[in-house]
Amino acid sequence: MVKSYLRYEARASFGVICSPTGNAVFDATGKLSITPALENVLVWDIKKGTQIARWGDSDNKAEVTCIARSPNGKDYAVGYADGSIRLFDLSGNAVKVVLNGHRGIISALQFDPTGTILASGARDTDIILWDVVGEVGLYRLRGHKDEITAILFVAASTSAVSALNASSEGYIVTSSKDTLVKLWDLRARHCIQTLISHRSEVWSMAVSPDGRLLVTGTSDADLRAWTIDVEKLDSIASDQSGLSPDKMSKSWDAISEYGLVQRSGKDRAIKLEFHSSGHYMACLTADKQLEVFRTRTHAEIKKKMARRQKRYRERRKKDRAGDGNDDEQASNSDGSDDESGTAVMSITAADELTSFKLIRTSAKAVSFDFNPAEADTSTLHRQNSLQLLVSQNNNALHMWTVPIPPPGKTTKQANLADPSMLCAVEMSGHRSEPRALALSSDNELIASTANKSLRIWNAQTGSCIRTLECGTALCVSFLPGDQFIVVGTKEGNIELFDIPSASLVEIFDAHDGTACWSIEIRPDKKGLVSGGADKCVKFWDFELVRDQQSTASVVSRRRMTLEHVKTLQMSDDVLAVRCSPDSRLLAVSLLDTTVKVFYADTLKFFLSLYGHKLPVVSLDISSDSTLLVTGSADKSVKLWGLDFGDCHRSIFAHQEPVTAVRFVWGTHYFFSAGKDKLVQQWDGDNFQRIQKLEGSHGDVWALALAKHGNYVVASSQDRSIRVWDKTDEPLFLEEERERELEEMYDRGLEESLDHSERTAGDESNEGDETERAGKATMETLKAGERIMEALELADEEQSKWQAYEEQKRKMPQLNPPPPDTNPILQFEKLGAEAYVLRAIERVRAAELEDALLVLPFSRVLSLMTYIDFWAQREWNTPLVCRILFFMLKTHQSQVVATRAMRSQLTSIRRHLRAGVSLQRDQIGFNLAALGSLRTEWEANATAEFFDENEIQKILDTQLKKRKFIGLKA
């Protein structure tokens, strides 16, 4: 009989506030924060510190690397490490669109001003423009030689900002680690200018809201500023006949150098961003500094230039007075003087941008974002401060406020305070990776320890119940009754905490200042055993003592404490200790790669287990006290018998060092965790792997099992705590191995398809900057197979009816019966042509073109027949046009060489023109109706929205109501 097991499924992941691989952004209101949390995206209420929503896709396991907010304030583009992009809706908290096209980590995302076009850049050095409404990739731009770091849209003043021409007009500026900044014309799909002045990687850049100023940040100590000549971009945009050579020559200097802006930080500039008002700019550096720059007004620049002219005249006057004979020579040598002797000085970037405030973060910051609710100048001046969202690499999210001078006052006159932290989200996760885990006896609480922190979690909800400060924790364990918890620290102490009062009860110097590596509660529940780097295993008893601070007038209280009973001296550092459940044996692993087994009562030596090549970092004993499992840094797991100390089996369990092993109570099943980001379940009787538990994005450091293995908890280097629940779904080893082999085959097939497509594209588009946006994946392959199956079924159905009609025509006297309809078509209640169209409509718009590439040319000819039928019936004309144009462009050579296609294409053209004309008339009618509605609305609503006096009255009324309510409360 085949043995079956029960499958474990991922239930929850908590402890991550913001992962350092991606950037955090505000929502449109400035009240919520959208932050990356490994493979998910979290929405936080910043001031309350509560999680509002969690965005995720069950099909995705890659980390979030980039987030971009759409101008509509509702849609958010999220880029992942596997090159995919997903669009989420803030109101629905669901995936709207999945876009696949990149072959590397997404490193830059940017929406155009209309929110209908999304530009993405990745580590594969390509830029792809996506149609968000049509859910398709428009084209791929190639020219950079290294990872894309930033993408910005730049619009010419004459370009109409609308969804109709957003994909064909306008410009984008891209930066890369190849030290280049490129200006691309979206109409020509060509790079029209390349900035080569940088000498190191360009890490970030920003464009002012008016599109006039471009600032780039590198590893240099200065920021480099550029001016964008909008008039020259207009001259290119106005040339509707194409880019002529004289227009191209004018476009080379559309971006010209403006000067250098000195910054306080010496490390590389991670991110640059202008405030929506254009008055401020912020620069984030890798040395824990966020510097805010202020844009000087025209009056301030004029005063600065006047002072500079005055100093120059005074200096010239002193020079002439000092040496009157050389006046004529000095005047002739200075070519910057005009006829009046005044120096002609030009304005530089340092005159326009000046350092304003400096924010020093507690840890290295990953990203920042200005509050978009402060877009207008009136709101900014009303609250007299800037709000910035800063995400740090220590799993913390901070919101800073920067005071700004009121209108009409300078910075010196305003006497502004320093930037201050307004609120923070820190309580929901550790600042460093949790190294130890423990479960309470009722499996309701989870304790996790990291550097200087101990947190108690609710195992069901994942919410943090208690946060306590401790030493550098290495191990943790609940005491019987779950009211107290002990922590072993790197300083050699055992710290005792009271959970209900969230207080530290007592600190015990257990191991003479050396690390306490392991703590184990004795099976009799009367004490614990600790092992440390002082080569000692110490035994402790639980005691209740009278509180010495109590007086005679106060009833004396008893408190928990630990009493040292005895010590077992070892020959080397103790890494782990474990007591057998029957209280008979004590297993100790040492730094010399051996495991010593002693009798627990007399501490006499019983067994010495040799075999590991590196130290054993974790061990466990089965509930029947017959098996010992050891996990070592040599990547292997060994099973030992505790009767004679023989090694039952040595298993090469992980690709990296094993960090934890745990037996399931009542069975010989055990779990192992390693630095290869995996948790695996094994059968200790037949020595086979049962299941892989994936999901962690870092080294798995600790493992904890509920009673009888109801769920598994693992903590990882990515600061997450993941829980897998045991389900009722049976698992068979043969089926599990087949599934793993199928996944390996699918990954290999996907890589080969993508490699062949990329190689074919490189050969056909060698030297071309534009390429088709798309990527072959298993989803596109399966979608293509479904389309082929639908075509085969429809062809068979049509061939049966054609044979029936032919037989009926030739031999009408026989009166043959009509053929039976395919059961699938009967179930769908569709004809053959409609069934094929339904199969194509079910394919995602972003995957349709790659799915059609799977079709052989014989099926393409069959598809053309159905396209003619659909065009004649005017079924889904936009989709039919898209399929037809793509197939003709892809198979142009074969279609031209097939003479039988000529009459069919003529029929398609005749039928399709009528459908396209109807679609055009409908769109024109709808646009005209919308324009009329807009005109009517603006005529009726102008007074309400643009009357400043009326708006001020409404605001004053609202403020009075708020004050009244506050006083009443």
Side-chain angles (χ1 to χ4, degrees), residues 7 124 169 243 286 328 347 417 435 461 476 488 500 529 564 567 751-752 779 826 865 935:
R7 186 180 298 276
D124 60 2
E169 294 188 6
L243 288 178
E328 185 176 356
I347 301 175
R435 290 298 188 102
T461 63
V476 63
V529 183
H564 180 217
T567 301
E751 292 176 0
S752 62
E779 286 76 13
Q826 288 182 350
T865 306
T935 303

Side-chain angles (χ1 to χ4, degrees), residues 734-750:
E734 293 78 5
E735 294 180 358
E736 191 70 12
R737 298 294 90 79
E738 290 178 3
R739 186 183 63 83
E740 293 176 1
L741 291 175
E742 288 178 0
E743 290 179 355
M744 292 177 59
Y745 175 75
D746 291 345
R747 285 196 297 266
L749 181 60
E750 183 176 340

Side-chain angles (χ1 to χ4, degrees), residues 793-804 807 816-827 830 832:
L793 188 149
D795 289 345
E796 291 177 1
E797 188 70 17
Q798 284 196 344
S799 62
K800 287 192 301 184
W801 281 97
Q802 288 176 1
Y804 166 72
Q807 186 180 6
D820 295 333
T821 306
N822 191 290
I824 298 178
L825 297 180
Q826 288 182 350
F827 177 77
L830 296 172

Side-chain angles (χ1 to χ4, degrees), residues 194-246:
T194 302
L195 308 181
I196 59 174
S197 301
H198 302 94
R199 294 293 177 265
S200 60
E201 295 91 345
V202 182
W203 291 98
S204 181
M205 61 180 179
V207 170
S208 59
D210 58 2
R212 184 186 61 85
L213 189 63
L214 171 68
V215 182
T216 57
T218 63
S219 300
D220 301 334
D222 298 325
L223 300 176
R224 196 176 293 269
W226 313 77
T227 56
I228 302 175
D229 195 337
V230 181
E231 295 180 356
K232 292 184 179 179
L233 297 180
D234 290 341
S235 64
I236 303 173
S238 61
D239 185 10
Q240 300 298 329
S241 60
L243 288 178
S244 56
D246 57 338

Side-chain angles (χ1 to χ4, degrees), residues 406-442:
K409 289 187 178 181
T410 62
T411 306
K412 295 181 179 179
Q413 294 173 347
N415 192 18
L416 300 174
D418 293 333
S420 60
M421 188 188 301
L422 189 62
C423 52
V425 181
E426 293 181 341
M427 301 303 294
S428 300
H430 288 284
R431 303 285 76 78
S432 59
E433 60 266 21
R435 290 298 188 102
L437 288 175
L439 282 175
S440 60
S441 59
D442 57 0

